[in-house]
Amino acid sequence: MHHLARLLVPLAFLTTPVALAAPQGFDLIEVSDDVLAPEFPGILHQFKPVGFEPSENGGVAVMDFDNDGLLDVYLPNTEFEPSKLYRNLGGGQFADVAAARGVDELTKRRGGGLFLDVENDGDLDLLTLGYPGYTASQDLFTLFRNDGAPSWSFTNVTASAGSFVLAPTSEPTLLGDLGGFAGGDVNGDGYLDFISTYWARLPGYLYDQMRLFLSAPNPTPATVGQTDWSERIFADATIAAGLDVWFEGSTWMPTLHDYDRDGDLDLHINVDFGEDILRMNDGTGNFAPSIATAIGMNGAPAESRNEMGVALGDVDRDGDLDQFHSNAYWGDRMYRNDTDFTLGEAGLAFDDFAKPAHLDVARFGWGAALTDMDNDGDRDLIRVSGLNKPENNWYHENLFPMTLADGESTRFVDRSGNLPEFQKAQGSGDEDLARSMVPFDYDSDGDLDILVTRPGTSPFISPGLHLRTGFYENTLPATNNWVDVDLRGLNGSRNVANARVHIGAANSSQMHTVLVGSSFMAQEPDRLHFGLGGAPALQYVVVRWADGTHTAQAGGTINAVNTIQRTALDATGDVDFDGDTDKHDLRLLKKAIERPQQYAGLLAGTPYFQLGDIDGNGVLDATDHALLKAMLP
């Protein structure tokens, strides 16, 4: 934020952090290396070589597909081998149900998958994405409709969903290898769309580096007895959206996120052999030319790198999402978000502070996450490496609120040496390759474990010892508290993409956002995990949905999953947090605007700031007062 905005933000929002305890001792122990061990989770998936560069596969999606409260795992087949859908049985055990539920796809090449509530009906459908390998195959996507309870089986509805036909381009349509994917409501109609990106570097050819598909109602009704009908169809909108523009470089992971908080999803893309892309959405699903370099998201001075994986998280707890990019040989990037949201797009600003934060390592990184590994209330950085020289996996502990030389938070410290099995230290016996990585609590014990995908053999990079998907169990003692927030939209919809969740504990606030697609070729759970440190209770949970409305609840249960159900009752403007929005809230908001420091103390422990920030720009001001006044009867 700019200096004026920083002064206007209440102290409670900037956080009065829980007192830092000594670093929490934990290890990451691989439980997937011995199939005969009692702790073996039952996941045996092994990726096969695929595409021009066989080592680049390794997608994964982690979501609760059967609504039983346990997180399940989808792993694609890559090279005409069965895909796997591992149902979580509890207690850290999984069973493959792909064939029984109809999603094994034996005859297709698949590089990844996204769980999407396509129909907003409360269950997660499955979109699988093909690995074209320099063709224009029409067999790029399969949509499986989740048939819900009691079977939780899937039906292939690809044909009735439009068959995902590619719109013709001005040059021959070549797609290269799958580079990544992300989902979100791009055109603001309340339904999920998706984008896929492609990596290609063969000289002398032009490649379509991305494809955007928009959802729409199916105009053709189901025929009598038809069981494979899709309520929604998907049409290729790449050209209409202005995304069919060829440029130097190849595209890896995309991100659909509302960067300027104007209510629509913008598009960021990690670029290999070029500068990254940030294209702003005009609100209708059309995208303007890239402004990534102009706002600092290619470094200062701007330079081309090899950006692969991506992770977003509020590392300095100032209420916006910072962004990490894993790189090859030129050093990773960590962008601090300095956006002044009062200025909209004109206020966008990012500062690469990887070097002073000790994060500018160059270890050929792929999957990454900003997540709270030690439950102390801040977001650490964890990421995996793609070479076995060895080039280590890394864990950097966030030491918030330590400051950098410029006075800004936050600093990280390398604790990789404390996690030798995960680090892949030379001689550890686990010096193999990694691609994607997803942190999630697979054994329901309150801390985040790590799933790592490992690619097949490659003619360019020799394989390591372990080729199958790996699980690392977090041994964190139950010292710090935590809470998981599991969202449900109206009528139980699982479409909660880009909802912002704020939790309050010990008069301190944390925020994270539901993203559909992150890390590398991965989908992290929409169940958001927050460490609470020593905070003994949860003061509030506030959800700002993608359309700008709010759901809020007082309190909550710590050391448990809290399900927040959206209702028609909107809590926006309920500044005094009494369950209604009235003239008393308007008067209180006026006082909070006029005397921010005083009211930050008086209202500490309540979500007055989140609920009073009507326009969502991170500042309480006259605009919010006017908007709230207009809302009242």
Side-chain angles (χ1 to χ4, degrees), residues 443-460:
D443 52 2
S444 302
D445 65 352
D447 54 44
L448 294 176
D449 313 292
I450 300 294
L451 179 150
V452 178
T453 65
R454 294 158 172 156
T457 56
S458 165
F460 305 103

Side-chain angles (χ1 to χ4, degrees), residues 338-362:
D338 289 333
T339 296
D340 181 351
F341 293 105
T342 65
L343 302 177
E345 181 182 326
L348 286 169
F350 287 83
D351 173 36
D352 183 5
F353 75 122
K355 186 172 183 178
H358 301 161
L359 298 175
D360 60 334
V361 294

Side-chain angles (χ1 to χ4, degrees), residues 366-408:
W366 293 88
L370 289 167
T371 194
D372 193 348
M373 292 300 299
D374 50 6
N375 284 344
D376 66 349
D378 50 45
R379 297 199 168 264
D380 312 303
L381 172 65
I382 189 162
R383 70 112 169 95
V384 292
S385 171
L387 293 180
N388 65 335
K389 290 184 178 178
E391 299 285 8
N392 295 341
N393 297 330
W394 288 78
Y395 164 61
H396 284 83
E397 183 184 1
N398 188 338
L399 295 186
F400 179 88
M402 284 185 65
T403 55
L404 307 176
D406 62 1
E408 299 284 358

